[in-house]
Amino acid sequence: MTGPSGSLDENGIPFDEWVRNGEMGGSTDILDSKAMCYTEGSSIDWMYEEAVERAHHQRLKSQPGLRGVLTPMIETWRLWAVLILTGIFVGYTGGTLDVLVAWLSDLRMGLCTYGYLYNQSACCSGLDAGEACGEWVTWSARFNIHSTAGQALVQCFVYVSLAVGFATSAAALVQFYAPYAFHTGIPEIKAILSGYVLDEFLSPGTLLIKALGLALAVASGLSLGKEGPLVHVSCCAASLFLSLIGPKSRDGSPGRSQNESQRRKTLAAAATAGVAVAFGSPLGGVLFGLEELDSTLFSNEQLMWRAFVTSAVAATTLSYVDPFGIGKLVLFQVTTSQQWRQFELVPWLGLGVAGGLIGALLIKLNVQIAIWRKRGPWKRLPLFEVAVVAAATAIISWPVVFLRDQSSTLVANLFIECDATKDYHGLCNQASTWQNIFLLAITAIVKVVLTAWTFGMNLPAGIFLPTIAIGAAMGRSVGIFLQELHRAYPTAWTFASCPPEGQCIYPGFYAVVGAAALLGGVTRMTVSLVVILFELTGALSHVLPIMLAVMTSKFVGDYFGKGVYDTWIAMHGYPYLPASEFRETPGSGGETASSVMTPVHSVTTINATASLNSLDALLNACEYDGFPVLDEEIVIGFVTRYRLRQAIDPLLSGRRAVRQETGSEEIVCSFLGRQGVAADLAFALEKAPMQIRPGVPLQVVVSMFQKMSLRYVMITNQGRLAGLLTKRDIVRLMNRDFGQANALSERFEYQSTSF
């Protein structure tokens, strides 16, 4: 079995020496001079990459003289430069996107008379509260339309037309220039960090289109956000900087980092910067990486430190840019400083239950719509779908004041307590209490449906902000209802702890609790979510109610299935293993490796001695990623498709010379070492593959794949091959209770030896 640094093989040779001598990585002639080649859709070999990384560092340090000191330092500085540049880039990009989105979204309502590039806030800056802004004019005023019906018609027409134009432009950019720029990107980032190979997803073109398309999509008023896609933008930026100034591959070629394992650690640190910028939450970004992205990677203290620095740099840059002109990172300031009362725990727990239920409903709707889109007529008409949904969203939103505004504006005003100087669309008007409750309920219901449809269309889209808006509308309506109840029955025993005079219920904070509950019900985040909301709102004194709501929504949501990101990973069929504990099927009587393995008669194997033509024909006939190598049913090793192809290609190209040398028409290859006239392929063989007995409990097998990041395990009995288990087999096992697994994948049936 391969092992960590310092372990020995059966001959007493150190494991790292295998890599240097080509025993695990291939021959010094073919494989040692270049990095391992992984095809799109495969998984990296973590053991190999970690071993190569250790050998690389040892080689750098062993250089004579000053080079042995300076070279490792320069390589470390390059890596830090990549992370710092990524943080600065994401901070500036996030601030620029905020400014661009504000201008484009305000453009749908009107324009500034003295500068068309000013949004409404910048155009009307410097005015006192309540003072009219004459510099900002609506489109109806711009066209000198005075009739009420004409004004409404023009405003609605421009509002809808620009919405369709922005959304369709974003979708066209994605469809024609960067297909991987669609959606949120977090499911793919999680899969990549776990070892999945999807290089095109992190290309510079994807970075450009994702950022530009995201601004257009958010400004269109569709029920989506920019928070999740910023994680994708951050990873694309890190990948770009790695290719430019990061450590190079082992042959010194640019375009790829020195090591796939190291590359993923860098991407993991960069991903936290996206969350830090999206929410102004550097600590929440680090915890997001630990909880949501890959807990195994983030258990590394060095990676946590890199993520912390990258998030801090990104947040500092965003603060310097100051896109909102408020001079602080708190985006949605919570103004209440009053102490909460114990009776409020009941409605807050109720919001937690509602958040879990509505979150599960939203995911179910989203899944069904995504599958219908995949199999229905919309699959061939993605631009038309985006245009129709954008038009429908704008038309539905126009009559409802709370739907008409951007989600960020809605959330900011729902979080604020009532003030005498500011009344957001009559939200604080006591005479309109029941009307406001009804409108907020309508807003939440409509946004649930629109978000379920929008999240998955062919354009950049995040789900954080729409979910927060839905929860905030739900929570604010509950807060207003309780406030009205207290106003009608001030002496009721329920309100005995309220002061005799003054305010007792603060609906703004109920909106915060509702937002936390629904976001927890959709994403199933816990610790990172509480910290993000604390940094987002500054509500330090109310952390406990937020924790209770998130805890409750998590309990309720988990009862109904996966969170939204794990759901999309399963539907796409990505080979991603969550860190959750595997539980056997009740009544199974104790499942073992033999109960789920691919039996030996269904596994394509290679004989220890085979002809060159048969090996070439095998690689051309099938797409398997690897093959067990047997010598009279005894396992002698495992050879991957890439290593076998690299080994036989020189023989195929020099076939005539080999025939002249050996005097034989048939070239015989051997994995047992050079014997007679056989071509030696032993160097391409992994001689110590992971092997287990058929009776090993399945729970142990799953844990091995999760903790050791294995690609395959061979099931053997006294050295004889009994079957094979791959990472995709374990993924299917983990998703067996999810009926929509692989529903969006282009390849529904995976080969037994596909990694």
Side-chain angles (χ1 to χ4, degrees):
M1 183 182 79
T2 55
S5 179
S7 62
L8 306 178
D9 73 347
E10 65 271 15
N11 298 318
I13 300 176
F15 177 70
D16 289 340
E17 194 70 23
W18 283 20
V19 180
R20 290 192 289 272
N21 294 336
E23 290 290 344
M24 184 173 178
S27 74
T28 55
D29 298 329
I30 296 178
L31 301 176
D32 197 44
S33 63
K34 59 178 70 176
M36 174 74 78
C37 178
Y38 298 106
T39 58
E40 291 281 299
S42 63
S43 295
I44 69 169
D45 188 338
W46 282 97
M47 284 188 170
Y48 170 81
E49 296 294 337
E50 292 285 359
V52 169
E53 179 71 4
R54 287 193 298 271
H56 174 70
H57 283 294
Q58 291 175 8
R59 187 164 53 249
L60 291 180
K61 293 179 181 179
S62 64
Q63 296 181 90
L66 196 59
R67 291 182 61 188
V69 177
L70 292 180
T71 307
M73 292 177 61
I74 292 173
E75 185 154 307
T76 301
W77 291 343
R78 280 182 172 183
L79 187 58
W80 278 111
V82 168
L83 294 175
I84 291 173
L85 286 175
T86 299
I88 295 173
F89 177 85
V90 175
Y92 270 108
T93 302
T96 303
L97 285 177
D98 287 331
V99 174
L100 183 58
V101 168
W103 174 64
L104 290 175
S105 58
D106 286 347
L107 197 62
R108 299 167 63 200
M109 302 300 297
L111 73 164
C112 189
T113 55
Y114 64 84
Y116 294 156
L117 296 181
Y118 289 99
N119 59 35
Q120 186 173 5
S121 177
C123 183
C124 301
S125 60
L127 300 179
D128 296 330
E131 186 177 352
C133 179
E135 288 76 14
W136 181 263
V137 296
T138 62
W139 288 107
S140 58
R142 180 69 177 175
F143 295 124
N144 296 319
I145 298 176
H146 303 290
S147 65
T148 303
Q151 290 177 349
L153 185 62
V154 169
Q155 287 295 128
C156 182
F157 175 78
V158 175
Y159 182 86
V160 174
S161 298
L162 288 181
V164 174
F166 292 159
T168 308
S169 298
L173 288 173
V174 171
Q175 180 174 347
F176 297 120
Y177 297 103
Y180 283 115
F182 91 111
H183 210 225
T184 172
I186 290 182
E188 288 76 13
I189 293 298
K190 292 180 68 172
I192 289 172
L193 295 182
S194 72
Y196 187 56
V197 178
L198 195 61
D199 290 339
E200 191 64 28
F201 186 77
L202 301 173
S203 67
T206 301
L207 168 63
L208 176 63
I209 299 303
K210 187 84 171 190
L212 182 58
L214 182 60
L216 291 169
V218 174
S220 70
L222 287 169
S223 190
L224 50 83
K226 63 179 177 59
E227 292 73 24
L230 275 178
V231 175
H232 185 190
V233 169
S234 182
C235 289
C236 287
S239 181
L240 175 62
F241 289 129
L242 271 173
S243 65
L244 295 177
I245 64 173
K248 304 304 178 185
S249 59
R250 290 184 289 280
D251 61 349
S253 62
R256 181 179 288 275
S257 68
Q258 166 197 316
N259 179 268
E260 285 295 329
S261 172
Q262 186 67 35
R263 183 172 183 244
R264 274 153 179 76
K265 292 175 183 177
T266 305
L267 293 177
T272 62
V275 178
V277 169
F279 295 104
S281 174
L283 290 179
V286 177
L287 291 175
F288 175 84
L290 176 63
E291 180 179 4
E292 189 67 22
L293 294 181
D294 196 314
S295 58
T296 304
L297 278 178
F298 278 87
S299 61
N300 185 305
E301 182 180 353
Q302 188 179 31
L303 179 56
M304 286 283 286
W305 167 237
R306 292 175 183 174
F308 180 84
V309 172
T310 310
S311 295
V313 171
T316 302
T317 305
L318 180 65
S319 179
Y320 174 78
V321 175
D322 193 17
F324 301 106
I326 57 178
K328 52 187 177 181
L329 289 177
V330 177
L331 301 181
F332 306 126
Q333 183 71 49
V334 175
T335 56
T336 179
S337 59
Q338 299 295 323
Q339 183 177 2
W340 56 272
R341 293 163 178 84
Q342 292 184 356
F343 76 86
E344 292 181 291
L345 291 176
V346 176
W348 286 338
L349 289 174
L351 285 174
V353 174
L357 293 173
I358 297 176
L361 174 63
L362 193 154
I363 294 173
K364 297 286 186 185
L365 283 174
N366 181 242
V367 168
Q368 295 303 320
I369 292 171
I371 295 175
W372 181 82
R373 178 187 293 121
K374 174 75 174 180
R375 301 172 182 175
W378 294 110
K379 179 181 179 180
R380 297 184 296 273
L381 302 169
L383 290 180
F384 181 71
E385 179 195 10
V386 170
V388 170
V389 174
T393 300
I395 293 172
I396 294 172
S397 300
W398 179 256
V400 183
V401 291
F402 297 134
L403 285 171
R404 191 183 309 163
D405 289 336
Q406 284 286 332
S407 294
S408 57
T409 303
L410 173 65
V411 171
N413 285 279
L414 290 180
F415 282 2
I416 295 175
E417 300 295 344
C418 289
D419 188 281
T421 62
K422 185 177 182 180
D423 186 6
Y424 177 67
H425 293 312
L427 193 62
C428 299
N429 186 356
Q430 296 183 8
S432 304
T433 296
W434 296 108
Q435 179 183 352
N436 287 330
I437 292 176
F438 174 75
L439 288 177
L440 288 172
I442 291 296
T443 299
I445 294 172
V446 171
K447 275 192 170 293
V448 166
V449 177
L450 292 178
T451 302
W453 194 291
T454 305
F455 189 70
M457 289 198 307
N458 195 43
L459 77 172
I463 200 171
F464 275 97
L465 192 57
T467 304
I468 291 175
I470 296 168
M474 176 182 67
R476 185 81 185 209
S477 62
V478 172
I480 293 175
F481 172 77
L482 288 176
Q483 191 178 51
E484 181 66 19
L485 200 63
H486 173 250
R487 191 179 294 117
Y489 305 100
T491 59
W493 65 269
T494 306
F495 306 112
S497 58
C498 293
E501 296 182 358
Q503 191 171 352
C504 178
I505 307 295
Y506 292 87
F509 186 70
Y510 278 75
V512 176
V513 175
L518 194 62
L519 193 55
V522 170
T523 65
R524 310 296 158 79
M525 295 159 52
T526 53
V527 178
S528 58
L529 174 56
V530 173
V531 174
I532 287 173
L533 282 171
F534 156 60
E535 293 184 285
L536 192 66
T537 63
L540 178 60
S541 60
H542 288 66
V543 168
L544 181 59
I546 295 175
M547 290 178 64
L548 292 175
V550 170
M551 175 192 71
T552 308
S553 66
K554 166 83 170 166
F555 273 126
V556 175
D558 283 346
Y559 178 79
F560 293 98
K562 301 173 179 286
V564 65
Y565 297 132
D566 287 343
T567 296
W568 274 85
I569 288 174
M571 287 196 297
H572 278 293
Y574 298 140
Y576 168 79
L577 284 178
S580 57
E581 182 181 0
F582 171 73
R583 296 180 180 179
E584 296 181 354
T585 304
S588 62
E591 294 177 290
T592 62
S594 61
S595 61
V596 296
M597 71 179 183
T598 302
V600 64
H601 60 78
S602 299
V603 177
T604 301
T605 61
I606 296 177
N607 291 326
T609 302
S611 67
L612 179 62
N613 290 336
S614 66
L615 294 177
D616 183 44
L618 176 64
L619 293 179
N620 293 330
C622 66
E623 298 180 357
Y624 298 161
D625 291 333
F627 309 90
V629 180
L630 308 182
D631 182 20
E632 296 182 355
E633 300 184 358
I634 302 297
V635 174
I636 65 169
F638 190 90
V639 61
T640 63
R641 181 185 189 87
Y642 169 73
R643 292 174 184 170
L644 182 57
R645 175 55 71 184
Q646 289 289 91
I648 68 173
D649 276 351
L651 298 175
L652 291 170
S653 60
R655 186 181 308 180
R656 178 177 299 178
V658 174
R659 287 174 178 171
Q660 291 176 353
E661 180 182 349
T662 61
S664 174
E665 290 295 324
E666 186 68 38
I667 301 176
V668 180
C669 302
S670 173
F671 292 91
L672 299 174
R674 186 173 295 278
Q675 297 177 358
V677 297
D680 183 15
L681 299 184
F683 60 82
L685 194 64
E686 293 182 13
K687 297 181 180 179
M690 179 70 72
Q691 301 180 40
I692 60 174
R693 294 177 291 103
V696 174
L698 193 54
Q699 194 169 4
V700 175
V701 177
V702 173
S703 181
M704 288 172 58
F705 273 90
Q706 290 174 325
K707 296 177 181 178
M708 300 179 68
S709 300
L710 301 175
R711 297 199 297 172
Y712 68 91
V713 165
M714 302 177 72
I715 316 299
T716 60
N717 187 9
Q718 296 181 346
R720 298 179 183 275
L721 183 66
L724 187 71
L725 270 175
T726 68
K727 185 177 181 179
R728 288 195 182 273
D729 294 328
I730 302 300
V731 169
R732 282 196 293 268
L733 179 67
M734 298 289 283
N735 293 330
R736 62 184 178 184
D737 294 330
F738 181 58
Q740 289 76 31
N742 297 325
L744 302 183
S745 175
E746 296 295 337
R747 185 180 178 190
F748 292 92
E749 294 296 333
Y750 293 99
Q751 306 291 355
S752 60
T753 51
S754 175
F755 302 142

